[in-house]
Amino acid sequence: MDCDEVFNYWEPLHFLQFGWGKQTWEYAPQYALRSYGYLELHRVLILLMSFVGLGTRIQAFYAVRLALGIGCAFCEAVFVRAVARHVDRRVSNYTLLGLAGMAGMFHSGAALLPSSFAMCWAMLGSAAAMSRPGTRRRVGCAVCAFAVAVVWGWPYSAVVALPFVVEEIVERREFLLNSMAIGVCAVAVTAGLAAAIDSWYYGSWVLAGWNQIAYNVLGRGGDSTLYGTEPWYFYVKNGLLNANIVAILAIVCLPLWTVSWLALRLAGRRGDADHWRLLFRVLPFYVTLGVFSLQPHKEERFLSIVYPHMCFNAAVSLSLLRPLYSSPRLGYLVLCVAGIVGALRMAALVQYYAAPTHAFWQLPTAHMSERVVCMGSDWYRFPSSFWLPHNYRLQFVESAFDGHLPGDFTPSWISGSTRASAAIRRDDFNSMNRWEPAHAILSSMTTEVCDYIVDVEYPERSLPMEGAWKTVAQCVPILDTEHTPLLARVVYIPPILANFWPWKQQWGQICVYENLMTSSTPSP
């Protein structure tokens, strides 16, 4: 999990269920960029769990993750079946193999992120759009699915639906008004429900999706480039990381389609409607890639909405290349190789970057009074309050980081309800990524305030905690990404090779330190 997923979604979800958690400026009522409606969809599962006696925070965390994974798998199955029915069975088999071995789908499918939610609903919308134009069911299912993706998920996922809209205009001009009416009704209903929930929490009329567009696209109240910019080829590089061979095949799909179309024209098959219709099926990936590549602010998760389309485009490429190779198994072999590389990437994500959850799992659980866990420059590694034992709270310590750290929701037992807490306007939030002193304690106050400190240490550039601090349990190894070669940190390297160039890895450790001045409970 990255820090955006933790602080913008897991923490507010924890707040809704348990009454406290970290609050980012996007949830401040004066900005209202995040939707509580999206969170409430996932909170239902936690509420259901509590009725059967499974109400601990860790159980809730894994239940949500499991449900997200199962939901994504269902959407993938619908998508692949639609490809088999309306495009080609071999293409559907290729698509299924690409999805199964893609590292990007591995970590985005179970992520608590609007972009992942939008990805799943865009799959359903695209599955409906695979059928031939001219049916009301096609338009209704596709429009409703895309509307949910845009309004309840991520507003920018609308770009995935653009080829479908163009196809409807080109192929069904006589039914254009009917299609537009369905679209308007779907957006109105979904937006109305989302606005009602958001307005209830924020205490005034709000449509969070529009506020997000106004901030990131129109520049009202801030600028998304405050949080970093990347070169135009960022998503190409990211696609190679998360999809390897599949990404390359997806990128060359349109040129291959063009060559195939020209060949059909030269052969006299000018009216090949299926081949022309295929163009609208492969365009969502290119439209999304092009639009997002033009934006200066880029993040890895943005492209996840078209990961399934990336696999589909790769499958189409292999199908178009089929006449060039004799063995019918070559396409499957290529995707199996891609799957093996993808599995190594998945193993690396689990093996090299899961240390923070293991570290927080070591916190003692026997404290009856409230305990404070502190983090400094490694604040972004916090796995969420779902991983804190009962009566523990997180506090940040000032460090070299000078951006806007999350604050805290006003606890519901102080305000009277989560709704009252969510609607409180405070002046300790800003939309310009400026440092807010109220969100962190002075480093000189750690001994007085912190009962525990979670810190990452690297042998060559950091010193272990000494004096009034002792380790609670054995420190957990964590990869030193700054001093480890690229290949050795993006794919899993067997331990027998990890000490040899170019796979030589450097490791640090993440440790939980207990304050001896406030210690009253033995470590677990």
Side-chain angles (χ1 to χ4, degrees):
M1 298 185 296
D2 66 8
C3 60
D4 185 73
E5 179 183 357
V6 169
F7 291 109
N8 270 320
Y9 304 102
W10 283 109
E11 283 299 293
L13 180 62
H14 185 278
F15 159 72
L16 291 179
Q17 181 62 23
F18 300 104
W20 59 274
K22 287 294 180 181
Q23 180 182 13
T24 61
W25 69 269
E26 291 96 329
Y27 283 93
Q30 58 266 40
Y31 304 112
L33 265 64
R34 304 297 183 206
S35 174
Y36 282 100
Y38 169 75
L39 297 174
E40 285 290 358
L41 291 175
H42 301 83
R43 187 188 175 206
V44 170
L45 181 63
I46 302 178
L47 293 173
L48 292 175
M49 286 182 56
S50 64
F51 287 128
V52 296
L54 299 175
T56 68
R57 289 196 283 269
I58 287 293
Q59 290 170 339
F61 176 86
Y62 278 114
V64 172
R65 295 279 280 190
L66 180 62
L68 290 171
I70 293 174
C72 182
F74 170 78
C75 295
E76 291 178 62
V78 173
F79 182 73
V80 171
R81 185 181 180 186
V83 174
R85 291 182 62 185
H86 303 296
V87 181
D88 181 76
R89 185 168 295 276
R90 180 186 290 114
V91 173
S92 73
N93 293 337
Y94 288 159
T95 303
L96 178 60
L97 274 177
L99 289 168
M102 187 178 183
M105 290 297 297
F106 170 74
H107 62 73
S108 64
L112 185 64
L113 287 168
S115 54
S116 294
F117 181 87
M119 174 190 73
C120 292
W121 281 92
M123 269 194 282
L124 298 179
S126 297
M130 289 282 180
S131 60
R132 293 176 180 270
T135 63
R136 185 173 297 178
R137 180 180 178 183
R138 173 187 189 257
V139 175
C141 293
V143 168
C144 289
F146 284 131
V148 172
V150 171
V151 177
W152 285 80
W154 202 43
Y156 314 108
S157 62
V159 296
V160 181
L162 288 179
F164 164 73
V165 174
V166 173
E167 184 182 18
E168 282 296 303
I169 295 174
V170 172
E171 299 285 346
R172 301 183 70 230
R173 294 178 184 176
E174 65 275 19
F175 301 106
L176 183 59
L177 290 178
N178 185 36
S179 300
M180 290 178 61
I182 295 175
V184 170
C185 290
V187 172
V189 171
T190 53
L193 290 173
I197 296 175
D198 290 339
S199 301
W200 191 79
Y201 274 107
Y202 284 117
S204 59
W205 176 252
V206 167
L207 184 58
W210 168 250
N211 289 347
Q212 190 177 146
I213 293 174
Y215 178 86
N216 289 318
V217 179
L218 304 180
R220 295 182 183 176
D223 186 354
S224 61
T225 59
L226 293 169
Y227 303 92
T229 59
E230 299 290 345
W232 66 267
Y233 55 83
F234 173 82
Y235 290 119
V236 176
K237 182 175 66 174
N238 183 260
L240 293 174
L241 174 65
N242 286 309
N244 56 81
I245 301 174
V246 171
I248 298 173
L249 290 169
I251 291 172
V252 301
C253 181
L254 188 57
L256 290 175
W257 179 91
T258 304
V259 171
S260 179
W261 179 76
L262 290 174
L264 290 174
R265 296 268 296 187
L266 292 174
R269 296 172 57 185
R270 301 183 180 222
D272 197 316
D274 289 339
H275 197 74
W276 177 255
R277 200 172 293 120
L278 182 63
L279 175 64
F280 293 101
R281 310 292 180 264
V282 302
L283 280 179
F285 170 72
Y286 289 101
V287 173
T288 305
L289 178 64
V291 170
F292 287 173
S293 294
L294 292 174
Q295 308 306 311
H297 176 65
K298 302 177 180 67
E299 295 185 30
E300 177 179 334
R301 59 190 172 87
F302 291 177
L303 197 64
S304 64
I305 57 173
V306 286
Y307 280 165
H309 296 81
M310 184 186 295
C311 295
F312 172 74
N313 280 29
V316 171
S317 292
L318 288 173
S319 181
L320 293 174
L321 289 170
R322 176 69 181 81
L324 301 181
Y325 53 87
S326 58
S327 174
R329 297 187 178 90
L330 184 58
Y332 295 104
L333 179 61
V334 170
L335 290 174
C336 285
V337 172
I340 293 172
V341 178
L344 291 175
R345 172 62 180 165
M346 298 177 206
L349 292 173
V350 174
Q351 187 72 18
Y352 300 157
Y353 303 102
T357 56
H358 297 302
F360 275 85
W361 185 254
Q362 297 179 354
L363 286 167
T365 59
H367 290 296
M368 299 303 296
S369 59
E370 183 172 300
R371 293 288 170 172
V372 177
V373 181
C374 294
M375 297 188 75
S377 58
D378 294 292
W379 62 272
Y380 58 90
R381 300 184 190 274
F382 180 56
S384 83
S385 295
F386 283 92
W387 287 85
L388 291 178
H390 179 63
N391 282 337
Y392 279 69
R393 301 292 184 271
L394 176 71
Q395 183 62 269
F396 297 122
V397 179
E398 65 172 3
S399 63
F401 179 75
D402 60 356
H404 192 20
L405 286 170
D408 289 279
F409 284 101
T410 302
S412 60
W413 54 86
I414 294 178
S415 66
S417 67
T418 53
R419 179 191 179 189
S421 294
I424 295 176
R425 292 176 177 260
R426 308 202 311 255
D427 58 4
D428 58 329
F429 291 104
N430 68 81
S431 62
M432 302 303 294
N433 199 25
R434 292 192 299 264
W435 171 259
E436 175 51 56
H439 293 178
I441 64 172
L442 297 175
S443 57
S444 59
M445 297 292 292
T446 54
T447 307
E448 290 77 13
V449 176
C450 305
D451 298 294
Y452 297 91
I453 286 183
V454 179
D455 190 42
V456 178
E457 300 173 351
Y458 299 107
E460 298 181 357
R461 62 180 190 275
S462 59
L463 298 174
M465 300 284 291
E466 296 179 348
W469 303 92
K470 71 170 184 178
T471 55
V472 169
Q474 185 175 359
C475 296
V476 182
I478 186 170
L479 190 69
D480 184 353
T481 56
E482 291 187 19
H483 292 84
T484 297
L486 176 64
L487 180 63
R489 66 174 184 264
V490 299
V491 297
Y492 176 75
I493 304 297
I496 194 172
L497 299 176
N499 291 321
F500 299 96
W501 188 91
W503 306 291
K504 186 174 177 59
Q505 297 172 332
Q506 300 293 332
W507 290 82
Q509 57 183 8
I510 181 168
C511 304
V512 179
Y513 290 97
E514 184 175 17
N515 188 342
L516 296 176
M517 297 177 63
T518 61
S519 175
S520 60
T521 304
S523 300

